[in-house]
Amino acid sequence: MIRRRPTHLDTSPLDRQPGTASEKNHRRRRTVGSVALIAVAALLAAAYPMVVGHLSPTAGTAMAVATGSAGATSGDDASVMSVSVVNASPGDLTTTSTVSGSIVAREDVLVGTESDGAGVLSILAEEGDTVREGQVLAVLMSDLGEIALAMNDVEIERANALLTQSESTIALAQTNLDLAGKALARADPLSKSGVTSLDVLEQRQADVLVAEAKLATAQQAKRVALAERAIALVKRRELTAHLERTRVRAPASGIIVERFAHVGDIATGKTPLFRIARDGLFELEALVPMRMMDRIRPETAASISIPGIEVPLAGTVRHLSPRIEPTTRMARVRIALPPNVMVRLGAFARAEIRTTEQMQIVLPLSAVQPTADGSQVQLVANGTVETRAVVTGRKTAEAVQIVSGVSSGEQVVLRSGSLVRAGMRVTPVLPAAVIASNR
């Protein structure tokens, strides 16, 4: 006969002993499970305030927006979402406009000559040289002029010799006149007393008259010598001026930017020989659209970039032409470069002109949302979001001008088109308050 081994199911609760090993293991497992459940509950209880605190109405984050929306639908005022807003107010709008053009001299000085038909003998200056006013740049052929000037020197020397001779003749005639007068003075009383004859007296009187005539002749010769010397001096000035025309001089100080003359050329009064940039000053000449003319003013700062120069140059707007080209609808602007800057004439350059204007209403670019019909913003009035169409003006990378649609002092949602919608109840918070609440 086969016996069956008793199992755990066959053992009744009365047969189990409380001190057996199986019972102790069972109690130990129940104890560990209870402790684990208590620990998980404690962690959840500790994490709940943190999550709720992170989703507070003043956080200003995307999760705060989501939590606020749910609270608003449930009617819990404590859970109304917070949105960042800005106050619509006047402000400065800085616009950067880029123009391009060529490097030109501020003032061109053309150097020519009045000596027609003279050949170019030598060139004494080259392009890029810095010259001073009156410096000789080129010499023209002047053989006949030098010969005429040498002959004039002889004429002046002859006139000086005649003048010296006439002065000596005058001195001699004056001496003879003095002697003749003294002889007459001695003969006159002797003739009256009968010591000398009347003929002697008359001879002494004749000698005085002859001496006076010779003195007058010598004085007239001196005047002729003076006139001849004056004529020679005037002729010398004329010859010197003619010879000076063969010396091409710089009429102003500056930098030679172009040389047209070559050795052997025949110079004429209609053809310039050199071009000088007066005082070495250069400018950027560019064309600006008509819409920019009301923003650009003289002395407006500009940053000029020229190929070959690594660092941009600081310039200023010097002149804006009042004339608009009828074909292009653009105007010419001159931007002065810093002095003593060596640039190539005609080089391409680009300038960024920064202009700052006071606007009635300026908003951050993120506050304006483009639409099919224009632009719109979201405002907060009495705790309720309102959508309003606006007319925008000038824009930059960060701000935009509001022409109409928003009044000064109204609160505009900083980021238009976010999770907020028209009609929602929100709490407006300035960006500084949102930052402070997150600390």
Side-chain angles (χ1 to χ4, degrees):
M1 186 174 86
I2 300 174
R3 294 183 178 179
R4 185 171 59 87
R5 182 178 294 178
T7 63
H8 176 70
L9 297 176
D10 296 335
T11 306
S12 63
L14 296 176
D15 296 335
R16 298 175 186 172
Q17 299 296 326
T20 62
S22 59
E23 183 67 21
K24 292 181 178 180
N25 293 332
H26 180 71
R27 292 179 178 177
R28 186 181 297 111
R29 286 194 297 270
R30 287 191 302 174
T31 303
V32 171
S34 300
V35 172
L37 290 175
I38 294 173
V40 171
L43 290 175
L44 291 176
Y48 178 76
M50 296 176 61
V51 174
V52 175
H54 180 66
L55 301 179
S56 62
T58 58
T61 62
M63 294 192 66
V65 170
T67 305
S69 299
T73 56
S74 63
D76 187 3
D77 294 339
S79 300
V80 173
M81 66 173 292
S82 297
V83 293
S84 298
V85 297
V86 291
N87 292 326
S89 60
D92 294 334
L93 191 66
T94 301
T95 306
T96 301
S97 304
T98 302
V99 297
S100 58
S102 302
I103 300 299
V104 298
R106 173 177 293 188
E107 183 179 354
D108 280 329
V109 179
L110 295 178
V111 183
T113 179
E114 297 179 0
S115 182
D116 289 337
V120 179
L121 184 63
S122 60
I123 302 295
L124 304 181
E126 294 293 338
E127 294 180 356
D129 291 349
T130 300
V131 297
R132 65 183 183 278
E133 183 178 356
Q135 180 177 338
V136 179
L137 306 180
V139 178
L140 307 181
M141 295 180 182
S142 57
D143 294 341
L144 296 179
E146 292 178 355
I147 293 174
L149 190 62
M151 293 178 62
N152 179 255
D153 290 339
V154 175
E155 292 177 357
I156 294 176
E157 186 66 24
R158 177 177 177 275
N160 290 332
L162 291 176
L163 181 59
T164 302
Q165 182 180 2
S166 63
E167 290 176 350
S168 300
T169 303
I170 290 174
L172 179 61
Q174 184 66 47
T175 302
N176 292 333
L177 179 59
D178 292 341
L179 293 175
K182 292 178 180 180
L184 179 60
R186 290 192 301 270
D188 185 51
L190 294 175
S191 176
K192 291 180 180 180
S193 60
V195 176
T196 59
S197 62
L198 182 59
D199 294 337
V200 175
L201 179 62
E202 292 178 352
Q203 183 63 41
R204 297 292 181 270
Q205 292 176 348
D207 292 341
V208 171
L209 295 176
V210 171
E212 290 177 349
K214 289 183 177 180
L215 179 60
T217 302
Q219 291 175 345
Q220 186 66 28
K222 181 180 179 179
R223 286 192 289 269
V224 172
L226 289 173
E228 289 183 356
R229 190 179 71 168
I231 293 173
L233 291 176
V234 171
K235 188 177 181 180
R236 180 178 181 81
R237 291 176 58 186
E238 180 183 359
L239 293 174
T240 302
H242 180 75
L243 186 63
E244 180 62 24
R245 295 174 184 173
T246 63
R247 305 291 190 268
V248 181
R249 299 180 181 273
S253 301
I255 297 177
I256 298 179
V257 295
E258 196 169 2
R259 175 172 71 90
F260 306 102
H262 299 85
V263 176
D265 291 347
I266 302 301
T268 62
K270 298 181 180 180
T271 303
L273 304 178
F274 298 89
R275 175 181 292 173
I276 296 177
R278 183 185 291 272
D279 299 327
L281 298 178
F282 296 91
E283 296 178 338
L284 169 61
E285 184 179 62
L287 295 175
V288 298
M290 185 172 59
R291 65 178 183 274
M292 292 175 51
M293 293 186 63
D294 58 342
R295 300 202 302 265
I296 299 177
R297 297 286 186 273
E299 303 301 329
T300 302
S303 177
I304 305 172
S305 299
I306 303 176
I309 300 179
E310 297 180 358
V311 181
L313 303 177
T316 55
V317 176
R318 185 186 66 86
H319 176 71
L320 179 63
S321 175
R323 181 177 179 271
I324 299 176
E325 297 291 339
T327 56
T328 61
R329 299 300 178 184
M330 304 182 80
R332 296 186 179 274
V333 62
R334 286 289 191 102
I335 303 175
L337 273 67
N340 303 322
V341 174
M342 295 301 298
V343 294
R344 295 186 180 276
L345 197 69
F348 174 81
R350 181 182 291 105
E352 293 184 352
I353 305 175
R354 295 178 61 87
T355 56
T356 302
E357 296 178 273
Q358 179 71 24
M359 301 298 179
Q360 187 67 27
I361 300 294
V362 176
L363 292 178
L365 193 61
S366 61
V368 181
Q369 182 181 9
T371 62
D373 299 330
S375 302
Q376 68 180 18
V377 296
Q378 292 177 318
L379 296 91
V380 178
N382 298 324
T384 304
V385 177
E386 173 189 347
T387 301
R388 188 182 300 174
V390 294
V391 178
T392 60
R394 296 170 185 164
K395 298 180 181 179
T396 65
E398 299 177 352
V400 59
Q401 175 194 8
I402 304 299
V403 179
S404 63
V406 177
S407 301
S408 179
E410 290 186 305
Q411 293 184 330
V412 182
V413 177
L414 180 60
R415 297 188 180 277
S416 179
S418 59
L419 297 181
V420 296
R421 294 292 182 267
M424 292 177 57
R425 297 289 298 175
V426 296
T427 301
V429 181
L430 295 176
V434 174
I435 296 174
S437 66
N438 287 334
R439 291 181 179 177

